Amino acid sequence: MYTFSSKLRMSAIILMIVGLLGIGYGFISAPKTVEEAKAMVSDSHHDDSASLVAGGHDAHSDQGHDASHDEHLLHQLQNKPWAAFYVAAFFFMMISLGVLAFYAIQQAAQAGWSPVLFRVMEGITAYLLPGAAIVFVVLLLSGMHFNHLFVWMDADVVANDRLLQGKVGYLNVPFFLIRAAIYILGWVAYRHFSRKFSLAQDTAEDNRYFKKNFRIAAGFLVFFLVSESMMSWDWIMSVDPHWFSTLFGWYVFASMFVSGITVIALITIYLKSKGYLEHVNDSHIHDLAKFMFGISIFWTYLWFSQFMLIWYSNIPEEVTYFVTRIEDYKLPFFGMLVLNFIFPLLLLMNSDYKRINWFVVMTGIVILIGHYVDVFNMIMPATVGDQWFIGVAEIGSVLFFLGLFIFVVFNALTKAPLLPKRNPFIEESKHFHY
């Protein structure tokens, strides 16, 4: 049985406390009036050191603002702490969801190499319920007009936008929240029953619970493919309601999948270093790193396909999505290509490097940073415009959710033995060699 060390538990609690302070500061420091917003932007021109990484603000330095433009600026700056919180909340939630999908694939495929890692995956997916609940609360508060993250939720905006009026049958708050609840309930229900059957199989006299897990995994994957795509349209793409991409669901899936597999590798290596998971060998680490490498290439393929086809066609209502990001988010937009493609490509191409733990850990940390930046790029341009920077709210949100993630996951790992003893493929997994 795994024991959650007091040192790690205290570290998680400290991260949450520090993160909450940063989140609170972000909301308190947000402007309350148009005058405060204009003063804040004006000050940022004279003190660029106020941010760690700054975007351009020239569009707001002119004196000839009209009232609607000033109101838009206020909404952008008020959105900033909300957007920072939402990006971090979604990022850590999608890690657990990506792991759940990977776990279901292993169950449905009756994989022989991975059963020794199942309890690690089940521990990570324990975060899905609290993580998804927090995201749902943000969506609910958005629908109650506590923020302006989703512009289509503003009746005044819709009344003056014929395009949004045509989408009101799908993009309306009640239906939006109902869909969100269905997604979350479906994911959490599968996680609950798969975990229940996995634990029951440990003491069963036959393989009936293993077969049940196989059947529900196959059914869940069908639900997941549909719900994940719709979730990506609802929770991310609809912040840019004038733009759409038929590839977007796959693109978000690739990001969450590689992030989830990366976290499996990192936690496995950590537990192995503490004397647990004695049956996990270099071949298991190699295969996890192989997935990290392969899905990073897949993510890049989807990124390039989406970007190049839209850029080449040069249709104004489509290309504006990338124009905004290239003009105002040049560093994070192109920087994530280095973090998510070039770095893992160069470091994990060699098969021998996939077996070196510190190499996998270093690459994994870079991949996770890169995919946080990816989510940042998907959310921020539509919610805060060019008023972006990595500041206290962003760092505080990441620290809070990192602490919460560690606390929930490692606490879940203490609830059951780390080795699923009666899995039919457990002996094959113990002696797996690549």
Side-chain angles (χ1 to χ4, degrees):
M1 293 286 288
Y2 170 71
T3 301
F4 193 0
S5 70
S6 57
K7 182 179 180 180
L8 184 59
R9 185 189 300 271
M10 183 56 63
S11 297
I13 293 172
I14 291 173
L15 285 172
M16 286 190 282
I17 293 173
V18 173
L20 281 174
L21 293 175
I23 293 168
Y25 174 81
F27 280 100
I28 292 172
S29 62
K32 307 298 187 296
T33 64
V34 169
E35 289 71 24
E36 288 182 18
K38 293 169 69 175
M40 187 177 295
V41 172
S42 177
D43 290 343
S44 69
H45 288 297
H46 299 93
D47 187 12
D48 290 334
S49 63
S51 64
L52 298 177
V53 183
H57 304 291
D58 292 342
H60 298 291
S61 61
D62 300 327
Q63 297 299 316
H65 293 320
D66 56 25
S68 62
H69 196 102
D70 290 341
E71 188 73 17
H72 181 62
L73 172 64
L74 175 63
H75 289 169
Q76 286 182 330
L77 292 176
Q78 289 177 336
N79 270 346
K80 190 175 181 300
W82 282 101
F85 186 86
Y86 184 55
V87 168
F90 181 86
F91 174 70
F92 282 93
M93 185 279 296
M94 86 171 190
I95 289 174
S96 63
L97 183 58
V99 172
L100 187 67
F102 187 70
Y103 177 79
I105 290 170
Q106 303 305 305
Q107 294 281 5
Q110 298 189 2
W113 72 277
S114 56
V116 295
L117 302 172
F118 279 178
R119 292 293 154 79
V120 175
M121 300 182 202
E122 291 169 13
I124 296 171
T125 57
Y127 179 79
L128 182 59
L129 178 57
I134 292 172
V135 172
F136 184 82
V137 169
V138 175
L139 301 178
L140 178 63
L141 293 176
S142 299
M144 297 170 65
H145 307 295
F146 279 80
N147 58 61
H148 305 276
L149 294 178
F150 298 89
V151 66
W152 56 265
M153 292 182 176
D154 190 328
D156 293 334
V157 172
V158 175
N160 295 291
D161 192 317
R162 292 182 61 187
L163 189 59
L164 293 185
Q165 291 169 17
K167 298 183 178 184
V168 74
Y170 185 81
L171 291 180
N172 63 82
V173 173
F175 190 29
F176 176 79
L177 294 176
I178 290 172
R179 292 195 303 271
I182 291 172
Y183 308 152
I184 294 171
L185 288 174
W187 302 334
V188 171
Y190 169 70
R191 194 272 168 185
H192 170 77
F193 287 107
S194 64
R195 169 74 163 178
K196 178 182 177 181
F197 295 153
S198 176
L199 296 179
Q201 184 62 35
D202 280 1
T203 56
E205 296 180 354
D206 55 26
N207 293 330
R208 64 182 183 274
Y209 292 109
F210 173 80
K211 293 176 181 178
K212 287 182 178 180
N213 240 341
F214 165 76
R215 288 194 290 268
I216 65 170
F220 167 74
L221 287 172
V222 176
F223 173 80
F224 172 79
L225 288 173
V226 176
S227 62
E228 184 277 331
S229 291
M230 295 181 68
M231 175 274 291
S232 69
W233 307 337
D234 290 354
W235 298 1
I236 299 181
M237 196 164 68
S238 76
V239 298
D240 282 288
H242 287 180
W243 179 84
F244 68 92
S245 167
T246 55
L247 201 64
F248 198 75
W250 283 106
Y251 178 78
V252 174
F253 166 74
S255 189
M256 73 166 56
F257 205 51
V258 70
S259 298
I261 294 169
T262 297
V263 171
I264 296 172
L266 295 182
I267 293 179
T268 299
I269 291 172
Y270 171 79
L271 292 174
K272 186 75 174 172
S273 71
K274 297 299 180 181
Y276 300 97
L277 301 178
E278 63 272 16
H279 297 292
V280 173
N281 56 45
D282 289 347
S283 293
H284 295 103
I285 303 301
H286 172 275
D287 270 27
L288 289 171
K290 185 168 61 177
F291 277 111
M292 291 163 58
F293 172 79
I295 306 302
S296 291
I297 303 301
F298 178 58
W299 174 89
T300 309
Y301 161 73
L302 294 174
W303 180 91
F304 181 80
S305 298
Q306 183 173 259
F307 172 77
M308 185 51 64
L309 290 175
I310 290 176
W311 190 261
Y312 181 76
S313 64
N314 201 27
I315 300 173
E317 59 266 30
E318 292 184 358
V319 78
T320 183
Y321 181 88
F322 290 104
V323 170
T324 301
R325 283 152 180 80
I326 292 173
E327 288 183 351
D328 298 327
Y329 289 74
K330 192 181 298 292
L331 178 60
F333 183 71
F334 291 109
M336 73 176 180
L337 281 178
V338 177
L339 299 175
N340 295 338
F341 171 58
I342 297 176
F343 199 85
L345 174 70
L346 296 179
L347 268 67
L348 295 180
M349 183 181 293
N350 189 305
S351 183
D352 293 335
Y353 291 166
K354 298 185 182 76
R355 299 176 183 270
I356 303 174
N357 286 351
W358 70 266
F359 225 79
V360 176
V361 170
M362 177 178 64
T363 309
I365 292 172
V366 172
I367 288 174
L368 291 177
I369 293 172
H371 284 283
Y372 168 81
V373 175
D374 187 17
V375 177
F376 186 91
N377 281 324
M378 288 189 276
I379 298 294
M380 287 292 183
T383 55
V384 304
D386 59 5
Q387 305 301 318
W388 72 275
F389 58 88
I390 304 296
V392 175
E394 287 76 10
I395 296 173
S397 296
V398 170
L399 293 179
F400 171 75
F401 283 105
L402 176 60
L404 181 62
F405 185 86
I406 292 172
F407 187 87
V408 172
V409 169
F410 284 90
N411 188 58
L413 290 172
T414 67
K415 304 301 182 182
L418 293 181
L419 186 68
K421 300 173 184 177
R422 278 281 292 114
N423 186 289
F425 295 100
I426 194 63
E427 291 302 319
E428 178 180 344
S429 185
K430 287 180 182 179
H431 300 96
F432 173 67
H433 178 71
Y434 176 80

